[in-house]
């Protein structure tokens, strides 16, 4: 991961300005639960008594199928995967950061690479995580100088070579530069079953 000089300078200025006014780690009303698939928000101490229905496992994307390792309810439909409810009860893990779901991004391709720009000011390099299996790409970024966080998942139109891809954290955006496995141009960033015509596989529940 590379960090631009502008991003480093902006973070340093912010930390110096906050030196005498440390930010509070107290939970705010509306703080989201970090656990996978839990859609609850913190509304006060009574929220701790509500059940957290979540997926304790990891998201798996393999050979066109998408599922959680804890329950293995498989589907080829990305939206159906995102809509799957949790499979276990547990305790909430509240986040002190504001959860930002709608964040601007764009993309372009050039000379065998595809670049995604995610526009977020004040991204914290130590809290930027990009993972991919070559087809699905996941981004977790803490931005707003540590006050906000965003999670994005991309079901990419084509395959990428992870070892030859890189991430650049800038002052106002995070840039994901992906090496294409096939140099042919992509008609769109995300795979769309309605447009791209892969065979639709119905959901199955593993025994």
């Amino acid at each position: 991961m590379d960090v631009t000089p502008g991003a480093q300078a902006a973070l340093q200025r912010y930390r110096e300005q906050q030196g005498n006014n440390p930010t509070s780690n107290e939970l705010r009303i509306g703080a989201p639960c970090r656990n996978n698939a839990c859609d609850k928000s913190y509304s006060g101490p009574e929220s701790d008594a509500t059940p957290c229905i979540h997926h304790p496992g990891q998201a798996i994307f393999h050979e066109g199928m998408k599922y959680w390792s804890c329950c293995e309810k498989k589907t080829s439909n990305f939206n159906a995967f995102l809509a799957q409810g949790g499979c276990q009860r547990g305790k909430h893990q509240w986040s002190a950061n504001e959860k930002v779901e709608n964040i601007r991004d764009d993309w372009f391709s050039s000379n065998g690479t595809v670049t995604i720009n995610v526009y977020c000011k004040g991204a914290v390099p130590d809290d930027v995580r990009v993972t991919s299996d070559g087809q699905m790409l996941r981004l977790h970024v803490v931005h707003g100088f540590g006050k906000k966080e965003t999670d994005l998942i991309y079901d990419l139109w084509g395959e990428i070579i992870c070892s030859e891809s890189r991430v650049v954290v800038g002052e106002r955006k995070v840039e994901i530069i992906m090496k294409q496995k096939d140099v042919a141009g992509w008609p769109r960033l995300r795979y769309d079953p309605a447009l791209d015509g892969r065979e639709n596989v119905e959901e199955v529940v593993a025994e």
Side-chain angles (χ1 to χ4, degrees):
M1 181 183 299
D2 299 320
V3 183
T4 67
Q8 293 174 335
L11 281 170
Q12 183 62 32
R13 287 195 302 271
Y14 179 81
R15 288 166 178 164
E16 290 174 353
Q17 292 169 0
Q18 296 297 311
N20 296 323
N21 297 289
T23 56
S24 172
N25 289 324
E26 291 184 4
L27 284 175
R28 59 175 180 80
I29 300 300
C33 178
R34 290 179 180 272
N35 290 335
N36 295 322
C38 180
D39 60 359
K40 302 302 182 184
S41 298
Y42 184 77
S43 58
E46 65 277 7
S47 298
D48 291 329
T50 62
C52 176
I53 311 300
H54 68 286
H55 291 293
Q58 300 295 317
I60 305 295
F61 306 104
H62 182 64
E63 295 182 348
M65 302 304 290
K66 305 157 184 67
Y67 58 97
W68 295 97
S69 61
C70 44
C71 54
E72 297 193 5
K73 186 178 181 182
K74 299 180 180 180
T75 178
S76 63
N77 186 294
F78 184 58
N79 290 328
F81 166 75
L82 293 178
Q84 286 183 12
C87 62
Q88 289 190 22
R89 287 175 174 252
K91 293 184 178 180
H92 293 292
Q93 298 293 327
W94 306 115
S95 171
N97 296 328
E98 176 186 354
K99 186 75 170 180
V100 179
E101 295 183 355
N102 296 320
I103 192 169
R104 186 167 71 92
D105 64 358
D106 59 28
W107 74 286
F108 66 90
S109 60
S110 176
N111 299 322
T113 64
V114 172
T115 299
I116 303 175
N117 294 311
V118 179
Y119 295 94
C120 52
K121 184 178 180 181
V124 180
D126 290 343
D127 291 316
V128 175
R129 297 193 298 274
V130 179
T131 59
S132 177
D133 62 357
Q135 188 71 59
M136 302 292 297
L137 183 139
R138 285 168 281 179
L139 166 68
H140 173 80
V141 55
V142 173
H143 52 106
F145 299 102
K147 296 181 179 179
K148 302 177 181 180
E149 64 180 72
T150 297
D151 289 284
L152 298 173
I153 301 179
Y154 297 89
D155 187 359
L156 299 173
W157 186 87
E159 291 188 66
I160 62 171
I161 303 174
C162 298
S163 61
E164 298 181 29
S165 302
R166 62 193 182 96
V167 178
V168 179
V169 178
E171 185 175 355
R172 296 180 179 274
K173 68 178 181 179
V174 173
E175 191 175 13
I176 306 170
I177 304 167
M178 304 173 291
K179 179 68 174 178
Q180 295 175 226
K181 187 173 182 179
D182 187 337
V183 296
W186 291 10
R188 61 192 64 85
L189 176 62
R190 289 180 167 91
Y191 164 70
D192 186 333
L195 297 174
D196 298 316
R198 290 183 199 165
E199 183 180 357
N200 184 34
V201 181
E202 295 182 355
E203 287 189 359
V204 297
V205 179
E207 297 295 337

